[in-house]
Amino acid sequence: MNVLWIFAHPEPRSLGGSLRDEGVRTLREQGADVRESDLYAMKWNPVVDSDDFGAAAGSDRLIVGSTSKNAFKSGELSADIRAEHEKLAWADTVIVQFPLWWYGMPAILKGWFDRVFVKGFAYGVQRPDGRTARYGEGTLAGKRAMVVLTAGAPEATIGPRGVNGEITEILFPLQHGTLWYAGMSVLPPLTICGADRVSPEEYDAAAEALRERLRTLSTQDPIPFRHQNGGDYDDNLVLRDEFAPGRGDLGVHLGV
């Protein structure tokens, strides 16, 4: 396997940093090739602006979508974005690791997606029949992705009735609205809870859980999200009445 490990934590000596090191070591012991994007170590710029697009930005009002597509097609994207595109093109599996901050990703990781997942590369891709290739189709189709998450909350609080909400719903914008949207098959996430008070024994268990997930990266069943163009949605991209009737929760977008 060719694995790209995207890591977004400011402290390499953190629980997250230790798990990243353990994960990369495990993959290499299995014979995988691993490249890393350690965003804080790279001092990644998370802010989209006209400098990303070179001459394609011009002097007119900046329209990010169309300008980014023009820059992508003409090869005028900034060098740091092009380098991440090369890593993604090389990888068949992507690990996205971060601590859960305020129900989402650290800003540096959100900015990585903002700048790297440009139009023409990760979205705005057309099929031969004119339909938009997204939600299971697109440039990144055929690749796998898995989220590795550390959270300070106790495990019970991010369960189905926990005060913090269910973890798959918290991760829905990333897993469904970003990774699956761009075509990637998304594996169930690995969540390590109580991250700021993990005992040595709990760390050993977390590291073993990560190793086990990495051993089966190529064989795990992905989350069964529905394909946009698979017939489950009508022409307005609304789920057809015969699927999950009477429901309106996020789970209706699972094809099980």
Side-chain angles (χ1 to χ4, degrees), residues 227-254:
H227 286 74
Q228 173 186 290
N229 297 318
D232 291 0
Y233 298 92
D234 63 22
D235 290 341
N236 294 317
L237 302 183
V238 176
L239 190 65
R240 296 185 185 279
D241 291 341
E242 61 265 33
F243 299 112
R247 290 174 50 196
D249 57 281
L250 296 178
V252 303
H253 301 293
L254 298 176

Side-chain angles (χ1 to χ4, degrees), residues 83-98:
E84 298 306 294
H85 284 178
E86 290 172 5
K87 293 177 189 176
L88 284 165
W90 166 86
D92 51 56
T93 303
V94 178
I95 306 295
V96 183
Q97 184 190 358
F98 60 96

